Amino acid sequence: MVDPLTTFEAAEIGRPLREGHIRLTQADVDAFCALLGYDDPAYRADAPGGPVAPTSMGLTFGLRLGWEADVFPPGAIRVGDRNRYGVPARPGDDLTTVLTITARFVRRERKFLEYEMVTRNRAGDLVCSVAFTAIVP
């Protein structure tokens, strides 16, 4: 069942909808790299200076909130992403992601919601953010 606060009519702009926490492990990084065929030495446990996660892996931290909490209305059509990247995530990092609806508008008789998912490390540094717009029923 979709949370009523994620519908066009009831969305509270700027109110955090969901918050997720993850401790990133080397096994997570290894599995992501294997899935996507990444073979950069910087991602390996024995990387000089310590391993980092692929930048694109950061996008999954926020999207996970969407599919676990069923926050996108059925029939929503995603129409574009704006990604920002900060410090790299590293195995052992405790990451927090917050999902917020940032805008609601109607254009050409279609309803739109804008979402933002921001991931930060324990120090509060931006790891990444994903903002996107969806056409909603």
Side-chain angles (χ1 to χ4, degrees):
M1 180 175 150
V2 173
D3 181 337
L5 293 177
T6 66
T7 64
F8 183 83
E9 292 75 16
E12 293 183 28
I13 306 309
R15 176 178 181 232
L17 287 172
R18 295 290 183 276
E19 186 173 298
H21 304 278
I22 184 172
R23 172 165 285 179
L24 187 62
T25 68
Q26 185 63 47
D28 294 333
V29 174
D30 293 343
F32 186 82
C33 289
L35 176 69
L36 295 179
Y38 293 159
D39 192 28
D40 188 317
Y43 307 144
R44 297 188 195 129
D46 61 354
V52 297
T55 304
S56 58
M57 187 176 186
L59 305 177
T60 66
F61 305 140
L63 294 174
R64 179 177 54 92
L65 290 176
W67 68 68
E68 287 179 352
D70 201 18
V71 297
F72 306 116
I77 301 169
R78 195 169 161 161
V79 293
D81 286 3
R82 294 170 309 281
N83 304 328
R84 288 185 308 143
Y85 301 98
V87 301
R90 296 180 175 277
D93 278 352
D94 290 315
L95 304 173
T96 299
T97 302
V98 177
L99 170 64
T100 306
I101 295 176
T102 59
R104 168 183 48 216
F105 59 94
V106 176
R107 187 173 294 149
R108 294 187 185 149
E109 298 181 24
R110 289 189 175 160
K111 299 174 186 176
F112 293 83
L113 289 175
E114 290 186 355
Y115 299 85
E116 184 176 43
M117 297 172 280
V118 177
T119 300
R120 295 186 181 279
N121 62 21
R122 186 182 315 174
D125 299 321
L126 176 71
V127 172
C128 65
S129 73
V130 180
F132 64 91
T133 304
I135 302 170
V136 295

